[in-house]
């Protein structure tokens, strides 16, 4: 049940309001997987087919099997990522087998960055990286739409300045 704006998340009840990652991140990761493993399968089939014979070219099925397995795993991993803005901190949850939940208090944030590499920019995505005094609590939220990444950066910076002023 998602009600209210992300800015109000966690202020009305005990359960945080979670926000998932946009589907563009999943599309980008799956496309990269298909390109790299598809090219690998083609190279294995051609090399083994020419050098060792047609029977050995069947080993090209291994990268294709990895592609099918990776396709499913990428979907599960993408669904596991979510974040919630609460009154005093930001929660980031991720992981399928090893579930990890990071709590970053607003007053402990030193730097909030928005980054976007060439592949991310091509897909219209950006990542938000949070830096704190303790390196163990640095956190990243990948694959956000640029407008949401900038909104989150501005909000976290504003809340971080307000909370650290009270120290």
């Amino acid at each position: 049940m998602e009600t209210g704006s992300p800015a109000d998340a966690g202020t009305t009840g005990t359960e945080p309001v979670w926000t998932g990652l946009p589907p563009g991140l999943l599309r980008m990761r799956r496309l990269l997987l298909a390109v790299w493993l598809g090219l690998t399968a083609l190279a294995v089939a051609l090399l083994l087919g020419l050098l060792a014979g047609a029977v050995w070219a069947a080993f090209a099925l291994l990268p294709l099997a990895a592609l099918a397995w990776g396709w499913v795993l990428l979907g599960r991993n993408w669904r596991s990522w979510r974040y919630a803005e609460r009154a005093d901190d930001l929660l980031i949850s991720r992981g399928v087998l090893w579930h990890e939940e990071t709590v970053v208090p607003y007053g402990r944030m030193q730097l909030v960055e928005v980054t976007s590499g060439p592949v991310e920019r091509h897909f219209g995505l950006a990542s938000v990286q949070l830096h704190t005094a303790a390196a163990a609590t640095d956190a990243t939220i990948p694959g956000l739409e640029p407008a949401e990444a900038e909104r989150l950066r501005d909000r976290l910076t504003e809340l971080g300045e307000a909370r650290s002023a009270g120290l």
Side-chain angles (χ1 to χ4, degrees):
M1 175 174 94
E2 293 194 20
T3 59
S5 70
D8 298 331
T11 58
T12 57
T14 58
E15 269 304 301
V17 178
W18 292 100
T19 304
L21 299 182
L25 178 66
L26 180 61
R27 280 193 300 273
M28 178 189 76
R29 288 180 174 174
R30 282 182 169 169
L31 179 65
L32 290 173
L33 178 75
V35 166
W36 286 111
L37 288 179
L39 289 174
T40 302
L42 182 63
V44 167
L46 286 174
L47 286 174
L48 289 178
L50 293 173
L51 298 176
V55 174
W56 288 95
F59 276 102
L61 295 176
L62 292 176
L64 295 179
L67 172 64
W69 186 49
W71 193 273
V72 172
L73 291 181
L74 283 174
R76 291 183 65 195
N77 179 269
W78 172 76
R79 282 188 299 279
S80 76
W81 275 88
R82 57 192 187 154
Y83 65 96
E85 299 172 58
R86 298 193 307 182
D88 295 320
D89 51 34
L90 177 73
L91 297 175
I92 302 171
S93 177
R94 65 197 167 280
V96 178
L97 291 177
W98 288 273
H99 183 77
E100 190 174 329
E101 192 165 288
T102 304
V103 179
V104 184
Y106 297 135
R108 298 288 184 191
M109 288 186 216
Q110 292 183 332
L111 175 67
V112 181
E113 289 183 293
V114 174
T115 60
S116 185
V119 176
E120 283 181 309
R121 275 195 309 275
H122 179 75
F123 283 90
L125 301 172
S127 296
V128 173
Q129 186 163 7
L130 310 161
H131 299 280
T132 63
T137 57
D138 286 0
T140 302
I141 303 173
L144 297 174
E145 294 169 353
E148 171 63 8
E150 290 173 13
R151 183 206 64 81
L152 190 59
R153 178 200 58 209
D154 294 343
R155 172 142 170 85
L156 295 177
T157 301
E158 176 185 317
L159 288 169
E161 289 172 357
R163 298 298 192 279
S164 65
L167 291 178

